[in-house]
Each structure stands twice: as C-alpha cells, then as structure tokens.
C-alpha cells in the first residue's frame, strides 16, 4: 500500500497512540483485501455500542483509544445501545449493566462521536450523498446507504469503522471501486405485495437463495425508505448482502449491463419457505417492533392502527424501538403507542439483554427473526404488524 507522507507520519506514531492504532488497523485491512491506497471518507457509522455485545473487552479497547487521545475527524454516529438511557428499568435491566452501558456511551462521546444511537442514522443527521465514500458498520444501514443513496462503503466491523472515523480515511478496496459494484444475479420478483412485511419476507428469501453477492431486482416499484431498510436488513441477516440494485428505482441500477447474468425467481414457494424458516412459535411474551428503528411514517402508521383501542392481553409486553430524535418528533404518536408499551429510544430487542426475561418474542423483521434465536436465545413469531398487534387488542 502506498501511504502519503502525512499517513506515514500517523502510522509512525507522530499524531498519538490512538491515531497510530487506527492507522495500523486500516492498513492491515487494506493489505488483506488488496487496497493500493487510502480514500477520504465523509462520514462513519459505528457498531459495537451495546455492553451486551462488546463486554469488558470492548470497554477496555474503547478506554485505551480514549487514553491514546483518539478523536474522530468526520461526522460519526453510533448504533443502538443495550438500553434506553432513561427507561432501562422498564426493560428489566439491572443497575450493573446500566452503569457499564453509560460508560461505553461516555467513552464514544469523548472521541467526538454523536451520542444518538440508531441503526437508521440516514433518516437523522448522518445522510451520505451519492458517490460519497464512507465507512459504515451496521449491516442494514450500510446496505441502505450503498444501495438506496449510492454512497460507497464496505461491510465494516465496529473497530474498522472507528479507525476510519478517527483517520477520516479508509482502505480503497471492495465496494469503494466501481467495478466491484456490478450486479451478480438478477432477481425476478413475482406478485410483490406492498407492505413492509412483504419486503422483510422478500429479503429473507433472497438472502437464503444467494447468500452473498449483489442482487439486481426486477419487479419492484416505488421503493420507500421503509421498504429499503427492511429489505437491506433482511438480506444482510439471511445472507451477507451489502449492496443491491432495483431496476428503475436505485441510483446505480442503470449503470450496468445485466445480460448474461444468472436469474433467480422469488414467488410464493420461496416466500413460504422464508416465512417458515423464521416463524417457530405462536404464543409469545414480547412483541418487539422497530428493527431497523421505526421511521416517523412507521410511527404514524402504528399509532393509526392502535388509536381508540385498549390493550387487553396484559401478559404480553410490547416494545416499540426507534431513535431519540424520531421519538421526540412524534409525540402525538408516542402518546397513543404508550398505552400498549414503551416507545424505547436508541436501543433494540437484539442488542438489549432480553434473554434474562423473555424466551418467546414476536417481530415483523426478518433481521430480528434471524438474530433473536442466535443472540438472544428466543423462539420467534414472525408476522405483519397488524397481525401481531391483534394478540394484545
Ligand atoms: Fe437495528 Fe437492532 Fe435491528 S440494531 S437493524 S433494530 S437488530
């Protein structure tokens, strides 16, 4: 890899131990993946924010970075943490976890990272432009900014994204290069429904069919940001898709010749197989919505569904997960939703330690449907929001 004089000076430790550690990591990743240089980035989004997922090792790593004087040099946001900062007791979380979680947020803050913690920062204050190079972790969010916004990021891990945020640079390989953004398979979608849940099932089916690669969709129309985040999250969890194109919808779809590519079809049989894979239980203790975090439109839609109704089944808890900024924008919706359960900010059902309290959880998200069993020891009911909410009306 060729480094500029300034980059070499950072590598040699002339700008402090934190920046040196960051440069060593970015250069090591670049060597592994065949990058010949670094590229400037305009923003970063970091995962590894929950005490449940990073534990004592992560806390120590962050403490060392802060002690080494590390500071981010581009706008940087943080993924959901393990609890709502104010309402953690309603999540059945104890004070020891809460204390550690608050320490982690504080350490990220000391490095200059914004302390709003969401997996949908692109509907908040971190919105990449077309063609921007960025370093984003969080598999759903990075796929949205690659595919729907036309920004360029690899599937970063938490430490790699933090290192890039400190340097304002990342290694120039993979999806930063135009030739690697070509579709690898055409996906013909038959009889697509219009609900967000339909996009969850579609993403699960495609992830199961192709695993990795860059799908080029035919048969999708008018994809909203809600559809895009749901589809991205599902394909990233069921497979490892980090970029997709949709004919007539996404900004780079017209740039590539797809003749000669393999075709697959997603119809009723594939959708049923996807649904059956995730839906493993009927009787649940928790209904958790907002994976990825609810947008203002989704908050309005849920509030409209619940308005004038009462929660009858008191045995089932309901959590709505969103960002602090969306929660404060949607106070009228929040008042209606809170009749059914807490609207939790900056956390989610997967990165919170729910396994101490619940064993059976319902979701409309294929991403949560994949991770709840593996990361939270849950059995899962997988269904559309309107069907899930019937359980408690
Ligand atoms: Fe976001 Fe948590 Fe889902 S981080 S994408 S709500 S698993």
């Amino acid at each position: 890899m060729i480094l500029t004089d300034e980059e070499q000076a950072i590598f040699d430790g002339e700008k402090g131990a934190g920046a040196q550690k960051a440069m060593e990591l970015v250069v090591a990743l670049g060597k592994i993946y065949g990058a010949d240089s670094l590229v400037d980035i305009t923003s970063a989004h970091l995962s590894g924010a929950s005490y449940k997922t990073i534990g004592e090792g992560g806390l120590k790593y962050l403490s060392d970075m802060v002690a080494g004087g590390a500071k981010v040099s581009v706008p940087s946001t943080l993924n959901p943490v393990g609890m709502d900062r104010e309402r953690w007791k309603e999540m059945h979380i104890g004070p020891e976890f809460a204390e550690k979680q608050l320490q982690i947020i504080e350490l990220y803050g000391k490095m200059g990272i914004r302390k709003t913690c969401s997996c949908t920062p692109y509907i908040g204050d971190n919105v990449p432009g077309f063609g921007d190079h960025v370093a984003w972790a969080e598999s759903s969010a990075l796929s949205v900014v690659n595919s729907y916004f036309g920004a360029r990021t690899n599937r970063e891990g938490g430490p790699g994204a933090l290192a890039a945020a400190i340097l304002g640079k990342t290694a120039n390989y993979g999806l930063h290069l135009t030739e690697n953004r070509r579709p690898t398979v055409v996906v013909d979608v038959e009889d697509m429904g219009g609900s967000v849940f339909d996009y969850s099932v579609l993403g699960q089916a495609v992830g199961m069919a192709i695993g990795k690669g860059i799908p080029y969709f035919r048969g999708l129309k008018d994809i909203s940001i809600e559809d895009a985040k749901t589809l991205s999250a599902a394909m990233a969890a069921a497979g490892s898709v980090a970029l997709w194109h949709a004919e007539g919808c996404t900004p780079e779809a017209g740039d590539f010749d797809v003749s000669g590519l393999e075709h697959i079809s997603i119809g009723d049989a594939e959708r049923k197989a996807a649904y059956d894979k995730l839906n493993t239980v009927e009787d649940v203790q928790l209904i958790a919505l907002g994976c990825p975090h609810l947008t203002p439109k989704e908050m309005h839609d849920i509030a409209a569904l619940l308005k004038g109704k009462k929660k009858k089944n008191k045995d089932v808890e309901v959590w709505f997960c969103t960002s602090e900024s969306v929660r404060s924008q949607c106070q009228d919706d929040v008042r209606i939703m809170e009749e059914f359960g807490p609207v939790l900010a900056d956390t989610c059902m997967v990165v919170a330690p729910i396994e101490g309290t619940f064993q059976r959880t319902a979701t409309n998200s294929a991403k949560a449907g994949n991770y709840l069993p593996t990361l939270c020891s849950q059995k899962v009911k997988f269904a559309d929001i309107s069907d899930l909410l019937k359980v408690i009306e």
Side-chain angles (χ1 to χ4, degrees), residues 79-81 118-120 138-141 229 233 290-293 321 347-351 365 367-368 371 375:
N79 230 23
V81 293
S118 176
C119 48
T120 57
E138 171 43 44
S139 61
S140 70
K229 80 177 170 85
C291 171
H293 274 171
C321 301
T347 185
C348 86
M349 66 300 281
V350 170
V351 298
S365 160
K367 176 168 177 179
Y371 288 152
L375 299 179

Side-chain angles (χ1 to χ4, degrees), residues 73-373:
S73 58
V74 291
S76 302
T77 44
L78 202 55
N79 230 23
V81 293
M83 61 184 208
D84 183 306
R85 264 165 283 200
E86 272 87 46
R87 301 178 66 176
W88 46 270
K89 287 187 186 147
E90 291 173 64
M91 301 174 69
H92 314 282
I93 285 172
E96 303 80 18
F97 184 98
E99 193 190 323
K100 298 281 188 182
Q101 183 60 75
L102 293 173
Q103 276 176 30
I104 289 171
I105 298 169
E106 208 45 45
L107 287 167
Y108 276 117
K110 283 188 175 153
M111 288 189 271
I113 294 147
R114 294 176 191 165
K115 291 197 235 168
T116 50
C117 308
S118 176
C119 48
T120 57
Y122 46 80
I123 59 163
D125 59 355
N126 191 352
V127 189
F130 180 82
D132 283 359
H133 293 275
V134 299
W136 281 41
E138 171 43 44
S139 61
S140 70
L142 69 90
S143 179
V144 171
V145 300
N146 262 332
S147 313
Y148 200 70
F149 290 79
R152 297 181 172 212
T153 179
N154 284 316
R155 202 174 149 114
E156 299 281 357
L162 174 59
I166 290 164
L167 302 171
K169 293 166 186 282
T170 192
N172 196 20
Y173 68 92
L175 296 178
H176 290 286
L177 306 173
T178 303
E179 64 266 29
N180 296 329
R181 299 177 67 85
R182 293 182 177 286
T184 57
V185 55
V186 175
V187 180
D188 295 307
V189 183
E190 298 164 7
D191 305 323
M192 182 64 190
S195 77
V196 167
F197 184 63
D198 291 322
Y199 278 89
S200 226
V201 175
L202 173 64
Q204 176 69 24
V206 174
M208 284 165 61
I210 68 171
K212 58 185 181 173
I214 303 176
Y216 179 94
F217 287 99
R218 282 186 172 146
L220 299 182
K221 288 193 203 81
D222 304 326
I223 301 175
S224 67
I225 189 71
E226 287 78 16
D227 303 332
K229 80 177 170 85
T230 307
L231 179 63
S232 293
M235 289 193 291
S240 57
V241 172
L243 167 64
W244 50 275
H245 305 287
E247 195 166 78
C249 296
T250 54
E252 292 168 85
D255 295 355
F256 303 105
D257 176 9
V258 296
S259 57
L261 287 182
E262 178 201 354
H263 279 240
I264 61 165
S265 291
I266 301 294
D268 287 345
E270 291 76 17
R271 283 194 275 263
K272 177 162 186 329
Y275 170 80
D276 287 345
K277 172 136 197 329
L278 296 185
N279 191 56
T280 56
V281 76
E282 281 305 311
D283 172 33
V284 297
Q285 301 157 301
L286 172 68
I287 298 172
L289 302 175
C291 171
H293 274 171
L294 296 170
T295 65
K297 179 182 181 302
E298 290 176 308
M299 298 278 286
H300 301 331
D301 289 349
I302 293 172
L305 213 54
L306 295 176
K307 195 168 182 183
K309 294 179 179 155
K310 286 262 171 286
K311 186 177 179 205
K312 292 190 185 128
N313 186 341
K314 306 279 183 211
D315 295 336
V316 178
E317 287 193 30
V318 186
W319 292 1
F320 304 99
C321 301
T322 189
S323 63
E324 179 57 54
S325 65
V326 169
R327 182 169 71 177
S328 51
Q329 272 170 53
C330 300
Q331 283 303 305
D332 290 345
D333 300 320
V334 168
R335 268 188 289 281
I336 295 168
M337 294 157 79
E338 295 259 347
E339 291 288 320
F340 288 77
V343 178
L344 301 168
D346 291 359
T347 185
C348 86
M349 66 300 281
V350 170
V351 298
I354 67 166
E355 51 278 11
T357 310
F358 306 105
Q359 293 79 46
R360 302 182 304 281
T361 296
T363 177
N364 66 333
S365 160
K367 176 168 177 179
N370 279 283
Y371 288 152
L372 283 166

